[in-house]
Amino acid sequence: MKRTYRYTASALVLTLLSVNACAQDVKVMISGGFKAALEKLAPEYERQTGDKIVIIPGPSMGATPQAIPNRLARGEKADVVIMVGDALEKLEKASQTQPGSRTELADSPVGMVVKKGADVPDISSEASLRNTLLQASSIAYSDSASGRYVSQALFKKLGIEKDVAGKATMVERIPVASEVAKGKYAVGFQQVSELLPVQGVTFIGKIPDNLQYITRFAGAVTRHAEHPAEGKALLTYLASPPSRAVIQGTGMIPVTSGDTAR
């Protein structure tokens, strides 16, 4: 019995040493929509694998130096990118990702916030959302997919494009809700998963279904990944059934097997 115990203990030590020796820093460039989910899922993944997830935040698109395509273009290293699906497709076409590594992760709806303590407006219908925006002293939206939809499509659908032109502002790089919390804007639009983690605001809700815009988030291993196998393993974990409850809890809709890209 003692020999068996000693052998098992020795084997366990060797296994742990092996895991630690093989542990890698997996660099993940990620845009805000999926960031809250990754932050919640990373500790358990690190515990299971021994790898460390290094999060490098940045928008999926836009002119800021922090935008993921701009980071990659100037030679910054990453093993994985997680971003808006349309923007990821452009990286795929530019051969910036490894063929066949794309993994669909989640869909993200658009929502709205006001500063904590402010009156809670009604946005439950098209008419009420239109009225709320006409009465708002200022409006903020992101420089990524949801913001482009708000500025280029939502205002037009509501017939208020000219009315809000002088009071609607694009917020680059940083979370829209953080600017609303500071009182810089009366209302703010962004993907729900990017609004919920911010303190100092009240989440009003998603915009009405007939006006809603769903953003698909997906990940891929980069062409120059230093740890491609570990990167692919991480994406597989994020897309697995055990991860879906956490993803849903951050305000997104987990992608199930067979769902296609939006």
Side-chain angles (χ1 to χ4, degrees):
M1 181 66 70
K2 288 183 179 181
R3 289 181 179 177
T4 303
Y5 172 79
R6 286 173 182 171
Y7 173 79
T8 304
S10 299
L12 179 59
V13 169
L14 289 173
T15 300
L16 290 174
L17 288 174
S18 176
V19 168
N20 289 334
C22 296
Q24 305 291 350
D25 285 352
V26 182
K27 295 181 179 179
V28 182
M29 286 187 184
I30 185 169
S31 57
F34 201 83
K35 182 170 173 284
L38 179 60
E39 288 175 337
K40 291 180 180 294
L41 290 165
E44 176 59 20
Y45 182 79
E46 291 175 337
R47 187 191 69 78
Q48 291 183 20
T49 65
D51 291 338
K52 178 176 174 57
I53 306 304
V54 180
I55 295 176
I56 306 170
S60 293
M61 57 192 75
T64 63
Q66 295 83 3
I68 293 172
N70 299 335
R71 287 182 182 274
L72 294 177
R74 62 175 178 264
E76 288 193 33
K77 300 296 184 181
D79 297 301
V80 172
V81 291
I82 297 176
M83 57 199 295
V84 172
D86 291 344
L88 178 58
E89 185 176 351
K90 292 180 180 179
L91 293 183
E92 291 172 321
K93 290 179 178 178
S95 299
Q96 291 275 27
T97 62
Q98 296 193 7
S101 67
R102 176 168 173 147
T103 304
E104 309 299 326
L105 296 173
D107 291 330
S108 183
V110 178
M112 195 184 87
V113 294
V114 298
K115 184 176 181 180
K116 189 173 183 178
D119 292 337
V120 177
D122 182 11
I123 64 167
S124 60
S125 67
E126 183 173 335
S128 61
L129 177 59
R130 179 187 298 109
N131 185 58
T132 290
L133 295 182
L134 288 174
Q135 292 185 12
S137 59
S138 55
I139 303 167
Y141 55 88
S142 79
D143 64 344
S144 196
S146 63
R148 294 189 180 189
Y149 169 72
V150 169
S151 62
Q152 298 174 12
L154 179 62
F155 294 154
K156 289 181 180 180
K157 290 180 179 182
L158 293 172
I160 60 172
E161 187 177 17
K162 293 182 180 179
D163 300 281
V164 303
K167 62 180 182 179
T169 303
M170 180 180 71
V171 176
E172 292 186 333
R173 189 175 60 84
I174 61 176
V176 170
S178 66
E179 297 295 272
V180 175
K182 296 173 186 175
K184 292 185 177 181
Y185 304 99
V187 303
F189 290 99
Q190 202 161 10
Q191 288 150 13
V192 173
S193 58
E194 296 184 74
L195 298 174
L196 293 179
V198 179
Q199 301 295 314
V201 295
T202 298
F203 175 63
I204 304 304
K206 297 182 291 185
I207 63 176
D209 289 343
N210 64 313
L211 298 171
Q212 185 57 257
Y213 177 79
I214 301 296
T215 300
R216 166 61 57 90
F217 279 84
V221 178
T222 64
R223 181 179 61 181
H224 300 299
E226 295 178 349
H227 309 297
E230 289 80 2
K232 183 58 178 176
L234 172 62
L235 291 174
T236 299
Y237 174 78
L238 296 176
S240 67
S243 298
R244 291 173 189 162
V246 173
I247 292 172
Q248 189 169 7
T250 65
M252 291 185 294
I253 305 162
V255 172
T256 56
S257 178
D259 282 359
T260 56
R262 289 177 181 267

